[in-house]
Amino acid sequence: MTINERISLLRKVMRNSGISAYIITSSDAHLSEYTPERWKGRTWISGFDGSAGSVVVTLDKAGLWTDSRYFLQAAQQLEGSEISLYKQGLPEVPTIEEFLCRELPSGSVVAADGACLSRAEAEDTRAKLAPYGITYRLDLDLLEGVWLDRPEVPMHQLFEHPSTFAGQTVSERIEAVCARLDAVGANATIITMLDELAWAFNIRGNDVEYNPVALGFGFISTTGSVLFTLESKVPQTLRESLERSGVRIEDYYHIGDFIASLPETTRLFVDAKRITQSLYARIPQHCQVIPGVSVVTMLKAVKNATELAGLRKVMVRDGVALTRFFIWLEGELAAGRTYTEYEIGVRLNEFRAQGELFYGDSFSTIAGHQGHGAIVHYRADAETSSVIHPEGVLLLDSGGQYVDGTTDITRTIALSKPSEQLRRDYTLVLKGHIGIALARYPQGTCGCQLDILARKALWDEGLNYGHGTGHGVGYFLNVHEGPQNIRTDLNPTALEIGMITSNEPGLYRSGIYGIRIENLVVTELKQETDFGRFYGFETLTLCYLDNSLVDKSLLTDKELAWYNDYQAAVYDRLSPELNAEEAAWLKAKTAAL
């Protein structure tokens, strides 16, 4: 079926159910950013495969709402369909709720699948529709009746992430969760999100592309813990290990009934942003609900000493792989051989795979040559990706999953002599990157309070970028994790010692080029004075920055010192792992400005 035929079939089901509009989000029953194929309904109905966005289908209109990372990609993928693109966040663009209240008369019914929608999102939309007399139903999965070849739930087996890498046993993690629960007066919590589940029970899996997680729900309480998953997914050795840690295993589909049967002594800690509406609705009225940010997410975000030590080792292996890749690419292009954007992503994976404990890519490599670099989350495929010629710039955003850490790095590399405008643009982005790297801030500071440091040099020139400056990063887990971030949106989560965050300002000139510089940083204590504790960042990522793109005259002495120190550190840390020819190449690339 074509996209329009799928929408037509959905509308038929909507009419039969008395539904005036149906909302299809990008998440699954675990509120994941990246989902198993079974829950990629938004992609199925629209053709748009970005990681974020929602489709709304009314009886006579259809629209996709997505953010600035995907404006160009969405416009291309929606072409030829009846779905209109609504550029989320632009002042003239209505929100989904504003659109529905404008389009639908009082008495209309809007629906969505509450099993794939957080409690917070569900209540927010319900509250916005109610004044217009619009009912919001959350008990319908209308795609089940029209998506006839819908994939099944993945059945890959779980495996253990040993405490030698995790730094804590399952028992220790459960104990830490229970201590946090007790501190807020709770005695139990439900785990919906897969990365939280993986962290709490030291398990990993292959159910989601790029993210080493497995389908399941969890329940942790002061009286016992339960892992809800499909029985066949748990090997006997893992089952025995979990049971020794006090975790019993129950069927994946029993989670709702289990919640509904919780006793009245249960004081349940609930994060409305991290539990689905469907599960929340099963909580008995006699249970006390204590709201807050998930204690599992907060614990997971602060990496322990073992995790940080592992990640520092990973950064050397990842940096060596990237160095060898760039040496290879430079040599191939100089010899007149060309490759597509897709092919160099495959090749980069091969270089990473030569390192120890490599598990796979942490996301689909973004290799954007020239104008494709301006598509923030561009995804090259084998059929349509461009051939890379030795001209202009290449934006390469990639990452690796290792058993002892997760990486995410972006480099913008000149493939020919850069123009003055390109050098100026790059240096303005670099100034923002250094601004974050050098930041000092008092304990309790949130990422939104630091974001201006990454943007000021660009704002001063009337320039900007639409994405966030930084996101949390998991440990052999999701490359995007919360609760912390660095962006303009208000987020009350303070940056804590041990949190890993990306530092990735950018600039994108549509159809011409894209620039992004991304390293991972960890929050650390910098000094303690009479005015309190002051934090800053240690830069973890090790890969050279392209000297040819830097306009030294735009850098302050402090910025120049950071730049040269970073380049020297890259050489010092990586060169012992390289052969003499590779080390000489890197020495030239990291020469002081």
Side-chain angles (χ1 to χ4, degrees), residues 445-465:
T445 298
C446 306
C448 57
Q449 295 170 289
L450 300 181
D451 189 81
I452 179 60
L453 298 175
R455 298 179 191 267
K456 188 179 185 305
L458 292 167
W459 284 2
D460 286 346
E461 301 294 326
L463 304 170
N464 199 13
Y465 54 94

Side-chain angles (χ1 to χ4, degrees), residues 301-320:
V302 177
K303 309 305 185 261
N304 61 45
T306 300
E307 291 170 325
L308 290 174
L311 186 56
R312 289 188 177 97
K313 294 176 182 177
V314 164
M315 288 301 181
V316 173
R317 299 199 296 274
D318 208 57
V320 166

Side-chain angles (χ1 to χ4, degrees), residues 215-531:
L215 290 190
F217 297 98
F219 180 79
I220 293 179
S221 76
T222 53
T223 58
S225 300
V226 187
L227 168 63
F228 296 87
T229 190
L230 298 166
E231 293 280 330
S232 62
K233 293 171 70 71
V234 188
Q236 186 60 30
T237 53
L238 177 58
R239 179 185 300 275
E240 292 170 356
S241 176
L242 289 169
E243 289 175 348
R244 285 195 298 271
S245 299
V247 180
R248 79 174 188 269
I249 297 169
E250 292 198 14
D251 186 83
Y252 177 76
Y253 297 105
H254 291 174
I255 178 67
D257 291 339
F258 177 88
I259 293 172
S261 65
L262 289 173
E264 60 184 15
T265 54
T266 305
R267 301 188 306 277
L268 196 63
F269 189 89
V270 174
D271 185 337
K273 293 182 179 179
R274 294 177 174 85
I275 186 172
T276 63
Q277 169 61 26
S278 294
L279 291 185
Y280 186 91
R282 300 299 301 273
I283 299 173
Q285 298 237 336
H286 60 242
C287 290
Q288 181 183 354
V289 173
I290 300 171
V293 178
S294 166
V295 296
V296 180
T297 278
M298 293 302 299
L299 287 165
K300 175 168 60 65
V302 177
K303 309 305 185 261
N304 61 45
T306 300
E307 291 170 325
L308 290 174
L311 186 56
R312 289 188 177 97
K313 294 176 182 177
V314 164
M315 288 301 181
V316 173
R317 299 199 296 274
D318 208 57
V320 166
L322 284 157
T323 300
R324 288 173 173 157
F325 165 80
F326 282 122
I327 291 172
W328 168 82
L329 181 62
E330 185 177 279
E332 292 294 287
L333 294 178
R337 290 183 284 273
T338 57
Y339 298 84
T340 66
E341 295 161 323
Y342 174 82
E343 287 170 337
I344 68 166
V346 173
R347 193 73 182 97
L348 177 54
N349 172 276
E350 293 170 354
F351 277 100
R352 281 195 167 104
Q354 295 170 18
E356 293 180 353
L357 302 177
F358 179 72
Y359 186 78
D361 291 342
S362 58
F363 58 95
S364 177
T365 295
I366 300 169
H369 184 224
Q370 296 290 70
H372 282 171
I375 303 173
V376 179
H377 273 203
Y378 172 69
R379 182 169 180 169
D381 60 51
E383 290 75 31
T384 62
S385 60
S386 297
V387 173
I388 296 174
H389 298 285
E391 58 187 33
V393 289
L394 172 69
L395 185 153
L396 188 67
D397 187 347
S398 69
Q401 291 284 11
Y402 301 81
V403 176
D404 48 351
T406 299
T407 69
D408 184 4
I409 173 174
T410 308
R411 287 295 182 265
T412 306
I413 303 296
L415 303 182
S416 61
K417 184 178 180 180
S419 67
E420 288 307 305
Q421 183 189 51
L422 173 58
R423 294 179 70 237
R424 182 176 183 82
D425 283 350
Y426 180 90
T427 308
L428 293 175
V429 173
L430 175 63
K431 287 171 72 69
H433 180 90
I434 297 173
I436 295 294
L438 289 174
R440 295 290 183 274
Y441 47 95
Q443 181 179 6
T445 298
C446 306
C448 57
Q449 295 170 289
L450 300 181
D451 189 81
I452 179 60
L453 298 175
R455 298 179 191 267
K456 188 179 185 305
L458 292 167
W459 284 2
D460 286 346
E461 301 294 326
L463 304 170
N464 199 13
Y465 54 94
H467 57 78
T469 298
H471 57 82
V473 178
Y475 178 81
F476 188 37
L477 271 176
N478 297 357
V479 76
H480 292 162
E481 74 167 20
Q484 83 280 13
N485 57 33
I486 303 173
R487 56 189 307 129
T488 54
D489 309 62
L490 295 178
N491 177 354
T493 303
L495 295 167
E496 296 184 27
I497 294 173
M499 284 183 169
I500 306 294
T501 313
S502 66
N503 172 11
E504 51 179 310
L507 181 63
Y508 310 93
R509 294 191 182 273
S510 182
I512 304 174
Y513 55 70
I515 298 166
R516 188 160 62 253
I517 304 170
E518 178 184 18
N519 287 336
L520 299 189
V521 298
V522 58
T523 298
E524 62 179 4
L525 177 66
K526 289 295 186 180
Q527 65 180 136
E528 211 164 343
T529 72
D530 292 341
F531 295 90

